[in-house]
Amino acid sequence: MIKGDLLQIPKGLLRKFQANEIDEVVITGMGTCHTAAVAIAAIMSNHSAIKESTIRVKAYLASELSAFHIKENMDNTILIAIAQSGTTMDTNVAVKMASEKGAHTVAILNKREGDISYLVDTTLYLGNGRDIEIAVPSTKTYICHILVGYILTCFIGQEINKNISDDYLALKKLNVLPQKLLAIIENFQLNQLDLCLEIFLQNTHWYVVYDSPESYIAGIEARIKLSECCYQSVPLLSEEEFRDAGVNNAVVIFLAGSSRSKVQLFLDKANKLNNYVVLVGDNQIISKTQLPKNSMTKIPYANGPSNLAILPMVINCQLLSYNIALKLDSRQHF
């Protein structure tokens, strides 16, 4: 991909990066493609070359981008559209509108020659010849979108400051990522989830709660996967919003990204209101937290590279949702 699709990016756009003439990078999509856009925006914002520049990085739902954020002159804007099939009308309309205002447009696309590929200046494909995945509750596509966004970020960083060694090392770390992802999946399978899944079956009030910027990114993806399990919109709340709402007698998927003391404080308050907590987080944060066994299930993991630290939390949430779906499907046998 580095030797192929990236080389199709127009030289004029690369010169704009080199001359500090790009003011804004806008990343957009719908559904899971939007949650991937938010993750890529966070990765891009934290890249040293972009952080030191004047470039603003923003992520928008495509429907909101077209309605509220198209500017009269977007000559110095690059729009990155995240797409799976390339046929989502909201995303395609936003791309077309931005392009008409002068924006440089790039698609990160799963399906070969999807409709959006005919609307953008450059298309970066997830796979080399075949689709990664065609499914509404996409999981592999989501991970691949983030990784291609990560590679694109390193590529842009090189164009800005030519500090090739740092980005080369960052890209080299991707070679071991398949083994790390496999380890995350194998570790998840060690969890005892029988009681937890039974409670999801009995209690239809589900909430996703986050306590940090990283767990928010995982949370917006988790709520989509959980909503697809039950065909209802599962609320996503911050720790403070959940506490202020006084939610009780619910199942709470708490994505822990802050500190052990703050996590324990939340658990104690949630427990007093008779909530069942599924605690997902880095083992160093959640290992010593405590609640009665019939009030909490822990899903721990070992954190990954700091620049891709959200992946373990997201994958554990996706696997949890998958197992909930299997449990829900099993009801047909009764």
Side-chain angles (χ1 to χ4, degrees):
M1 201 277 283
I2 296 174
K3 294 181 179 178
D5 294 344
L6 286 173
L7 298 182
Q8 304 306 312
I9 295 176
K11 300 297 182 185
L13 174 57
L14 299 181
R15 283 193 290 271
K16 278 197 165 189
F17 274 113
Q18 294 159 6
N20 296 318
E21 293 177 358
I22 294 295
D23 299 328
E24 188 175 52
V25 176
V26 174
I27 312 175
T28 193
M30 294 295 290
T32 294
C33 289
H34 169 252
T35 66
V38 174
I40 295 168
I43 291 169
M44 198 170 284
S45 297
N46 288 320
H47 189 283
S48 58
I50 295 174
K51 191 184 292 187
E52 293 166 6
S53 73
T54 58
I55 298 172
R56 302 180 304 275
V57 183
K58 299 177 180 178
Y60 296 116
L61 271 170
S63 54
E64 293 185 2
L65 172 61
S66 59
F68 305 114
H69 303 290
I70 298 295
K71 300 174 183 176
E72 194 58 39
N73 184 343
M74 300 182 74
D75 289 348
N76 295 330
T77 296
I78 176 170
L79 173 64
I80 302 172
I82 311 301
Q84 181 170 198
S85 67
T87 59
T88 300
M89 189 57 68
D90 294 281
T91 306
N92 293 1
V93 166
V95 167
K96 197 170 182 180
M97 291 174 67
S99 183
E100 289 171 353
K101 299 297 183 181
H104 305 271
T105 54
V106 175
I108 300 181
L109 178 60
N110 184 22
K111 184 174 174 58
R112 286 275 148 181
E113 298 184 348
D115 291 358
I116 199 171
S117 67
Y118 297 96
L119 302 176
V120 296
D121 302 325
T122 310
T123 301
L124 308 180
Y125 286 107
L126 302 186
N128 184 20
R130 62 175 295 177
D131 304 332
I132 298 298
E133 172 186 43
I134 293 293
V136 172
S138 60
T139 52
K140 295 180 285 293
T141 302
Y142 172 89
I143 300 299
C144 288
H145 273 138
I146 291 174
L147 295 180
V148 174
Y150 178 78
I151 293 169
L152 177 61
T153 297
C154 293
F155 182 77
I156 291 172
Q158 291 177 5
E159 295 301 319
I160 293 174
N161 68 7
K162 298 299 181 183
N163 191 357
I164 294 175
S165 59
D166 288 351
D167 288 311
Y168 174 77
L169 290 173
L171 291 172
K172 193 173 181 181
K173 290 179 181 178
L174 296 181
N175 290 331
V176 298
L177 193 60
Q179 289 82 6
K180 290 183 179 295
L181 297 181
L182 181 60
I184 293 169
I185 296 170
E186 291 174 344
N187 183 68
F188 176 87
Q189 293 169 343
L190 298 176
N191 293 303
Q192 300 297 316
L193 298 178
D194 292 345
L195 173 61
C196 169
L197 297 176
E198 193 63 39
I199 290 174
F200 273 102
L201 210 64
Q202 297 167 6
N203 190 328
T204 59
H205 301 290
W206 305 351
Y207 290 81
V208 179
V209 180
Y210 64 92
D211 66 352
S212 69
E214 292 74 22
S215 60
Y216 167 76
I217 294 172
I220 58 176
E221 167 65 2
R223 69 166 294 277
I224 287 182
K225 295 299 181 282
L226 289 163
S227 297
E228 287 166 347
C229 283
C230 60
Y231 296 98
Q232 297 182 50
S233 183
V234 175
L236 172 67
L237 302 176
S238 70
E239 181 185 7
E240 295 81 6
E241 289 169 334
F242 183 85
R243 204 166 48 236
D244 292 345
V247 175
N248 58 80
N249 299 308
V251 182
V252 183
I253 299 92
F254 182 43
L255 308 183
S258 55
S259 67
R260 188 181 303 162
S261 59
K262 289 183 178 179
V263 171
Q264 185 63 57
L265 184 64
F266 175 85
L267 293 176
D268 293 338
K269 292 183 177 180
N271 188 49
K272 285 181 180 178
L273 293 174
N274 198 35
N275 294 298
Y276 185 88
V277 179
V278 182
L279 182 59
V280 183
D282 183 338
N283 191 50
Q284 292 183 350
I285 295 176
I286 73 171
S287 61
K288 295 184 179 180
T289 54
Q290 295 181 340
L291 274 186
K293 285 186 177 180
N294 61 350
S295 299
M296 177 174 69
T297 293
K298 290 183 185 180
I299 302 180
Y301 56 80
N303 234 336
S306 58
N307 43 13
L308 291 171
I310 64 163
L311 291 187
M313 183 177 283
V314 167
I315 291 171
N316 276 280
C317 289
Q318 291 174 338
L319 291 169
L320 174 63
S321 300
Y322 172 68
N323 279 271
I324 293 169
L326 293 179
K327 187 69 175 178
L328 292 170
D329 284 348
S330 71
R331 291 175 300 178
Q332 66 185 326
H333 300 306
F334 293 133

